[in-house]
Amino acid sequence: MDRRRSVTLVVALVAWFALPVATPAYAEADLPPLRVLQVYGPVEERDPGIERVLEQAMSLALERQGPLSVATAAFRDVGGEELLAMDLAGRQGFDLLIIGAYQLVDDGLRLDTRIMEVASRSTIADVSVTREIDLRLDRIAEATAEALLAAAAPDIARLIEARTLELLALVPPDEPPDGALPEIDPPEVEPPEEPTAPESETERVSFEGPRYRVGAGLLLVVPMGRYADFFGPGPGGELSLHRTYERVRIGFSTGLLFSTPSRADTGEYARGFIPLLLEVGIPVAATGSVTWEASAAAGTAIRFGGGSPISDRLAPALAAWRARVSAVIPVSNRMTLVPHLTGMGAMQFYEGPPDGGNGGGVDHLLWFVPGVMASFAW
C-alpha cells in the first residue's frame, strides 16, 4: 500500500474524530481504540496456512490504519454461525465485527469482507479485493483494510465520537478563559513502518460455539393432490438432532404425521405415519438477526394401521422425501425458534395396476406441513 495514502487516511481519521469534540480533558485521558472481532472462513476449500497468516496480516493492517484493537474468533463456521459470532462480540464488549470469506482464484486470492456494528447488528461496509499471493499476504491485507476502513469511515467516526463524548463526560474540563476553547494542535502521525512478521500469535477469542442442535415442534399435516379426496388435515409432531459442520447441517429427523379420514372406506391406514429421515440444511440468506435456511431430507415413512382397500396395496414402509424452508430466529445464545413451511411425500412402487392386468405404477402421498420448532444448541 502507498505510504502517502496510509498517512493521509490516518491523519484524516484522527482529525475527523478529535477536532469536533476536542476539550482540555482530551489531553488528560487517553482515548481507547475501538475493539474489533474478526473471523475468516473459506468460500470453498479451507487452507489453514493461508487462514492463519491472513488473520495476522489483517490484524496488523487494521491496527496500523485505524484506531482499532483487533482480536480473532477461534471458531470457523462463518456462514451458519454468523449469529454466534455476533453474540460473542456483543457479550465480550466488541464494537465491530469483521467477517471475511477467502477463495483461491487462479494464481491469486480473493477476499470478501464485511464490517458490522455490533450494537445495531447492521453491516456498515463490505468490500471484495483480489490480489496475487505473496509470502505473508501483506498486499491483499493492506488493500482490504484500506478499502474497508475507507468505506466504513463515517460510521467509525460516529462510534469514536460517541466514545470520546462518554470519556469527556467522566472528566470535567477546566473552564477556558473568557469561554473560549484553547487551540489544539493536530497529533503528529509518523509514516507506518514496513510490515514485519509478528513475533507472537494474534490474540484469539476462545469460543468454539455449539456443534449440536436438538429440536422439537408441532406440525399441521395437510394432504395434497389425489389423496386430499380421501384424507383431511391432522396434527403432527417432530423431533430432530443435527450436527453443524462448515456452512451445512446434517442430522436425523423423526416424528408423527396424522391424517383424519374424510371417507369411511379409507380405514385405519389413513391415521398415521412415522417418518425416519436423514436431512441436510444450508443457510441461504440473512435478514437482520434472522437466518433463512433451506433443507432436504430422504428416508422412509412407516405406516401404522390398516384394514382398508387402500392400505392393502401399500407396503408397511414407504420411500419418503421432504423439502423445507425455515426461518431461524434467535431467542437467546442457545435457543432458537424455527417456523417453517414443508412439502413432503411418500411413495410406494408396485407391479401391476390395482385392478389387475400388466404394468406397474406408484402410489404417491403428498402433504403440505407448516409448523414451528424450538431448537436448543450446545
Side-chain angles (χ1 to χ4, degrees), residues 37 84-97 118:
L37 179 66
L84 291 175
M86 182 62 74
D87 291 340
L88 173 63
R91 288 198 308 272
Q92 299 200 5
F94 288 91
D95 302 290
L96 299 169
L97 172 65
V118 175

Side-chain angles (χ1 to χ4, degrees), residues 6 9-10 13-14 17 33-34 36 59-70 145 149 156 160:
S6 176
L9 179 61
V10 174
L13 287 174
V14 172
F17 302 155
L34 295 180
V36 181
S59 294
L60 291 173
L62 289 166
E63 291 182 349
R64 277 200 304 268
Q65 297 190 36
L68 309 172
S69 175
V70 182
L149 292 182
I156 294 178
I160 292 188

Side-chain angles (χ1 to χ4, degrees), residues 41-264:
V43 174
E44 296 176 348
E45 185 177 355
R46 162 155 290 138
D47 189 316
I50 287 180
E51 200 165 285
R52 181 58 60 89
V53 177
L54 179 63
E55 293 170 352
Q56 297 174 350
M58 282 295 295
S59 294
L60 291 173
L62 289 166
E63 291 182 349
R64 277 200 304 268
Q65 297 190 36
L68 309 172
S69 175
V70 182
T72 303
F75 65 93
R76 305 296 184 180
D77 296 334
V78 179
E81 304 299 339
E82 180 176 314
L83 294 177
L84 291 175
M86 182 62 74
D87 291 340
L88 173 63
R91 288 198 308 272
Q92 299 200 5
F94 288 91
D95 302 290
L96 299 169
L97 172 65
I98 293 178
I99 293 181
Y102 63 87
Q103 182 179 17
L104 294 176
V105 181
D106 297 328
D107 295 330
L109 185 71
R110 174 179 173 180
L111 180 59
D112 300 320
T113 54
R114 288 181 295 143
I115 184 168
M116 306 175 71
E117 183 179 349
V118 175
S120 64
R121 292 178 172 254
S122 60
T123 300
I124 60 178
D126 60 271
V127 300
S128 178
V129 176
T130 303
R131 290 286 188 275
E132 293 182 358
I133 299 178
D134 61 11
L135 293 179
R136 294 194 303 269
L137 303 182
D138 290 333
R139 286 184 295 176
I140 190 171
E142 293 285 350
T144 301
E146 181 180 8
L148 198 61
L149 292 182
D155 293 279
I156 294 178
R158 172 176 52 81
L159 292 175
I160 292 188
E161 181 176 355
R163 177 73 60 82
T164 304
L165 291 175
E166 292 177 2
L167 181 63
L168 295 179
L170 299 177
V171 184
D174 297 332
E175 285 292 333
D178 301 327
L181 291 176
E183 295 184 359
I184 297 180
D185 295 330
E188 296 182 0
V189 179
E190 298 182 357
E193 298 179 356
E194 290 296 326
T196 57
E199 296 181 358
S200 60
E201 287 288 329
T202 305
E203 178 188 358
R204 302 181 67 80
V205 178
S206 178
F207 180 75
E208 287 297 326
R211 288 296 177 266
Y212 294 93
R213 293 184 181 272
V214 62
L218 298 176
L219 310 172
L220 175 63
V221 183
V222 182
M224 303 290 290
R226 183 171 68 90
Y227 279 87
D229 297 334
F230 298 90
F231 313 135
E238 182 177 352
L239 295 174
S240 65
L241 175 64
H242 287 84
R243 172 70 161 89
T244 300
Y245 293 93
E246 183 69 24
R247 298 177 183 266
V248 68
R249 302 185 195 281
I250 300 177
F252 172 79
S253 176
T254 186
L256 294 173
L257 301 178
F258 288 97
S259 296
T260 55
S262 294
R263 289 172 41 171

